[in-house]
Structures are given as structure tokens and as C-alpha cells.
Amino acid sequence: MAKLTGSAKPLIGITPSSLDKQSVLQQDYAEWVSRSGGVPLMLPYSGGTTEDAAQLAAVLDGLLLSGGADIDPIHFGEEPIQGLGNITPERDAAELALIREFVRLDKPVFGICRGIQVLNAALGGTLYQDIHSQCSPSPLKHSQKAVASYPTHHIAIEAGSRLATLAGGLGERVNSFHHQAVKEAAPGLLITARTADGIVEAVESPTHRFVLGVQWHPEKMEAGDRLSAALFGAFVDACAWSGEQAVQ
Ligand code: MN
């Protein structure tokens, strides 16, 4: 099925933002994939079918879900509230189909910011459409004004999680650029990090090779950042292993 040879680098599909009929990808996502030993491939929104998503999942070794606009709450059974921002239905549809197929095949999925949210929605979880109006008491500042590479809030990490292993401990400081967040984790996903106000900052599947989402932006950290290197490194390594298995 897979066309990889033993020495080929894993081929990793990255979902871009959808802006006015343009597919736009911040290059730092692709740079981290390359730096970590993978080959990045951007996946545009062409209005393709779920069969197309299945074909992509069969060929690619991993899926990286980038940040971006809000998720249409129809995907977790809610009507839109006043605090909902821009939505991109074409992106929702494509990502939901890709995620479900990658997870079904047990191929690695790494979700960043919007990516943790769409991952959770795809697997049956719910989201806060707008944490500022839906969470009480008022949450911490999750839309930082500081430069993107500067971590502004603490997260407490669950002991025994993959994230704890990658972080090498149970506390980190991370950056924050979001107003939506995971509310109820999808069946099969564990919440593995929260901020002091209770907002979910990471989820993972304990039963898949690599299904993990983070609410922060590891790709915006500088190239030598320890936690970002650990996250992207583990993701790309899992993709490489996935390719080797598929060849057999
Ligand atoms: Mn945050």
C-alpha cells in the first residue's frame, strides 16, 4: 500500500489555513517537519470527497493539523454563540474526513491549536466556542500580546502521559493564541494538560501510535526549543515507523 522504501523520509500532510479561496501555510510548520526528519506536503482545500481523504491517508505517513479559524459548532451539536469567530466550512469538512481516516488506519496525527480542537470534534468531543464568554471564573490570558516565541502561561501535565514523557516533567510554560478550547474530551482521548484556570491545553490517545493535540503553538518557538523538538521529533518518528509497518 505505502510506496515508502526503508530509507525514505516519512511524508507528512499539513493542513493549511483557508483564507479567501487561498490555502495559506505558515512555513514554520513545514520547517519543523523538515528539521525533524520528515518531508512536508501541504494539502489544499479543493472540495474533494471523503474518498479523496481516504486515498490521501493511504499514501501519507502522518497528518499535521495547523492552527487557524474557529470550528463550526454544528460539528459538536451546538448553535453558534455571539463569541464565535470566523469559520471555514471547507476546511472543517476536509480535516474531519482526514482525521477519521488517519485514526482508523492508526497513522499519526498531531494537532496544533485549532488542530487539537478539530481533532477532538472529529472523534466526538465538544469545544468551548469562546472561552471568554463561556468559562467561569474568567480565564487567564490565552490570547497573548507577547511575541509568539515567548511562553506566557504555565501548564500542569498529567503524570504518566506521553506528553509528560516528552516534556520530561509535569510543568511547562507555553505560548497561547486561542479563544476556543476543548470542553469535553472525545471518547478515547485523555486530557493531559491544563492551565490554572482549567482550560484544556493537551489531549492524547493512549491506544494509538501517535494521536496528540496541543493548544499552544510549538512551531512558533525557536529552532532549539526543547519541548517543540521533542513533540515534532516524536511525531515524525512515529510517522517513520508507520511507513515501515505499511511496507511489510
Ligand atoms: Mn492557552
Side-chain angles (χ1 to χ4, degrees), residues 131 141-143 152-153 155 174-178 195 199-201 215-216:
I131 56 178
K141 190 170 186 64
H142 288 278
S143 300
T152 57
H153 68 48
I155 55 169
V174 298
N175 59 17
S176 194
F177 297 91
H178 61 106
T195 36
I199 295 295
V200 173
E201 291 277 339
Q215 187 56 72
W216 68 94

Side-chain angles (χ1 to χ4, degrees), residues 14-17 23-30 40-43 66:
I14 310 179
T15 56
S17 284
S23 295
V24 177
L25 182 67
Q26 295 289 318
Q27 283 183 196
D28 39 21
Y29 293 101
L41 181 68
M42 189 169 88
L43 306 176
S66 71

